Amino acid sequence: EMKESVSRLASPEGFEGVTVQPMISMKGHEIILGSSLDPQLGPVVLFGMGGSLVEVFKDSALGLPPLNANLATKMLHQTKIYEALKGVRGMKGVDTDKLKEVMVRFSVMVVDHP
């Protein structure tokens, strides 16, 4: 069924298969960290609010890799989800230093493997 859907929307030659993993259930905030290849700029990194409403709230920031800690911080600050990530309504904040480290390392991977 998945292969048929991909073949309808794209070419069947581009279909290499899928990986299915169980979804984990945790309390917290869903974020998105991704990348795309812009025809003029090259790799671009995306960070923001994730989850099922990602397209509704459109709370995201874009950056050009490779990021450093300062650029990752700026991207965090450009989003509304950042306030929640610091802690809200009795929820403990996330380790923003670790989050920035993940963003920087991801951006390096994107540059090395566009």
Side-chain angles (χ1 to χ4, degrees):
E1 183 179 327
M2 179 70 75
K3 187 172 185 175
E4 290 172 15
S5 295
V6 170
S7 296
R8 258 194 327 270
L9 299 172
S11 68
E13 296 81 34
F15 184 80
E16 296 180 12
V18 296
T19 300
V20 179
Q21 297 181 348
M23 185 167 172
I24 59 172
S25 179
M26 299 178 70
K27 290 186 178 187
H29 304 288
E30 292 183 68
I31 60 170
I32 185 169
L33 180 60
S35 70
S36 62
L37 198 54
D38 183 270
Q40 293 180 323
L41 300 173
V44 178
V45 173
L46 167 89
F47 170 81
M49 183 188 305
S52 59
L53 298 176
V54 67
E55 290 89 5
V56 174
F57 290 115
K58 295 180 171 75
D59 178 33
S60 62
L62 297 173
L64 297 176
L67 301 177
N68 58 31
N70 289 335
L71 293 172
T73 299
K74 285 184 179 186
M75 287 179 69
L76 285 173
H77 287 227
Q78 291 173 6
T79 63
K80 295 180 183 97
I81 191 68
Y82 176 65
E83 290 301 316
L85 294 175
K86 293 191 302 185
V88 65
R89 295 192 173 226
M91 288 181 67
K92 185 179 176 187
V94 301
D95 184 342
T96 54
D97 288 334
K98 279 289 184 199
L99 179 55
K100 287 185 272 188
E101 181 183 335
V102 168
M103 292 171 69
V104 168
R105 294 174 97 181
F106 177 77
S107 77
V108 170
M109 181 187 71
V110 166
V111 170
D112 290 345
H113 306 282

